Amino acid sequence: MKTYENQGNKDTRSGFGAGLTELGQTNENVVALCADLIGSLKMDDFKKNHPERFYQVGIAEANMIGLAAGLTIGGKIPFTGTFANFSTGRVYDQIRQSVAYSDKNVKICASHAGLTLGEDGATHQILEDIGLMKMLPGMTVINPCDYNQTKAATIAIAEHHGPVYLRFGRPKVANFTPFDQKFEIGKALHLVDGTDVTIVATGHLVWEALEAVKTLNEKGISAEVINIHTIKPLDAKAIIDSVSKTKCIVTAEEHNHLGGLGESVARVLSQHKPTPQEFIATNDTFGESGTPAQLMEKYGLNANAIVKACEKVIKRK
């Protein structure tokens, strides 16, 4: 079994900041806009090095999206930055009309997604943003798993023409993917080979899936792990090829089970290869205040929950 080593916990939002800093040096068309959260989005270096290409919009997220859409007309590649809750729910009309409907080349970059922003509480813990964004025609939705992958994704989306939603988080999590990786939009990553069950995970849950594999292996269960960093467009072939071997699947995400990765996978399976599936996701609920670890435990978004889901779905084969 292939194993992955944690190179040291790092926050994915810092991966975004590092990627944006590099883009500032290599692509003069990249501009950045922030809604009064420069430090939280790690946009400090870009602002310092390229003040003429940085726009502090203030607490006016709808205006930020409109400005970003306008900047694309002149050939600029705008990266907007604020919390995921404000990047989607607060400005959904502006994204739909000014960005998606108009096919504008705006990169909507969203930090503090999911439950793991922790103590900020339920009003800031958006668990429906993937669903909101993936339903917009033409919108690419990306949810990387660690610092290195978030940096690579940030750089890659600058070369992709069209609107993108890039989702990442606040806490420090395991950093285990290659620092020099090539990020390919829409291409799933096959991390571990297995024969008994497929685990398809995204974002912070990828590391939890890898931790779950260790326990499953001790139980004599061979689990395959696939990192779905791009939720739309979804790599259907990778999923179908895997379940053709394992005959069952568990999807894992830090998001509501309604509208998230799991539902996208279920659609693929229902059309091409009906397969028993279990969902690791929040169950039609808002979050609450607490530490990231406490919340992931309470809402069943960790390695232990993945192990139990795998054992359950295997019995349904």
Side-chain angles (χ1 to χ4, degrees):
M1 182 186 75
K2 186 174 182 180
T3 59
Y4 289 84
E5 181 179 349
N6 181 4
Q7 303 159 26
N9 289 359
K10 301 179 77 171
D11 49 304
T12 49
R13 57 182 171 144
S14 287
F16 165 69
L20 188 64
T21 296
E22 185 169 323
L23 283 173
Q25 299 165 350
T26 60
N27 191 329
E28 63 182 12
N29 285 322
V30 169
V31 297
L33 302 87
C34 188
D36 203 31
L37 287 167
I38 298 172
S40 293
L41 271 290
K42 307 298 182 181
M43 302 172 85
D44 315 69
D45 283 346
F46 188 96
K47 178 187 176 183
K48 177 182 176 181
N49 296 322
H50 312 285
E52 76 287 356
R53 287 193 270 149
F54 181 85
Y55 302 89
Q56 173 58 276
V57 181
I59 306 174
E61 293 86 356
N63 188 39
M64 178 173 69
I65 295 297
L67 286 170
L71 284 164
T72 66
I73 297 171
K76 300 303 179 183
I77 306 172
F79 282 64
T80 66
T82 186
F83 291 175
N85 198 13
F86 309 142
S87 289
T88 56
R90 179 172 288 183
V91 294
Y92 196 71
D93 180 60
Q94 285 73 26
I95 293 172
R96 183 183 187 275
Q97 300 299 116
S98 299
V99 177
Y101 179 77
S102 304
D103 192 32
K104 292 294 191 293
N105 193 30
V106 176
K107 317 306 175 186
I108 301 163
C109 305
S111 181
H112 292 56
L115 286 173
T116 50
L117 62 103
E119 294 86 349
D120 285 354
T123 58
H124 282 51
Q125 293 163 357
I126 193 161
L127 293 162
E128 64 273 17
D129 54 317
I130 289 173
L132 287 169
M133 301 307 281
K134 79 175 187 180
M135 287 190 295
L136 290 170
M139 181 69 69
T140 295
V141 179
I142 297 174
N143 188 41
C145 65
D146 68 359
Y147 171 97
N148 286 341
Q149 192 167 81
T150 306
K151 179 182 178 181
T154 302
I155 294 168
I157 64 175
E159 299 299 321
H160 170 82
H161 184 82
V164 175
Y165 180 58
L166 178 64
R167 182 188 204 248
F168 43 93
R170 172 188 179 183
K172 292 183 178 181
V173 295
N175 186 39
F176 60 95
T177 64
F179 75 93
D180 57 350
Q181 66 190 276
K182 176 178 171 54
F183 189 92
E184 188 175 349
I185 295 172
K187 183 68 173 177
L189 296 174
H190 196 127
L191 301 185
V192 179
D193 288 325
T195 56
D196 296 328
V197 59
T198 297
I199 306 172
V200 169
T202 188
H204 296 161
L205 271 293
V206 176
W207 178 253
E208 296 297 324
L210 293 173
E211 291 291 282
V213 166
K214 297 176 183 177
T215 301
L216 290 166
N217 191 51
E218 292 172 357
K219 293 172 176 280
I221 296 172
S222 173
E224 185 148 291
V225 178
I226 298 174
N227 173 5
I228 299 286
H229 53 64
T230 305
I231 295 171
K232 182 187 175 187
L234 186 65
D235 190 344
K237 184 178 185 303
I239 295 164
I240 294 167
D241 287 349
S242 182
V243 299
S244 295
K245 175 175 54 174
T246 65
K247 313 300 182 187
C248 62
I249 189 169
V250 171
T251 52
E253 59 192 307
E254 189 184 347
H255 188 270
N256 194 340
H257 73 266
L258 299 171
L261 169 66
E263 283 200 348
S264 291
V265 171
R267 180 177 180 273
V268 168
L269 296 176
S270 69
Q271 289 182 311
H272 301 282
K273 197 168 186 64
T275 305
Q277 178 178 355
E278 291 293 327
F279 296 75
I280 296 296
T282 59
N283 186 20
D284 194 23
T285 183
F286 291 103
E288 60 187 293
S289 184
T291 67
Q294 288 172 334
L295 294 170
M296 296 289 269
E297 175 68 28
K298 177 172 182 176
Y299 290 90
L301 305 181
N302 57 19
N304 289 335
I306 294 172
V307 169
K308 292 176 183 177
C310 288
E311 291 175 323
K312 182 178 179 180
V313 79
I314 285 171
K315 294 177 181 178
R316 295 174 51 202
K317 283 204 249 187

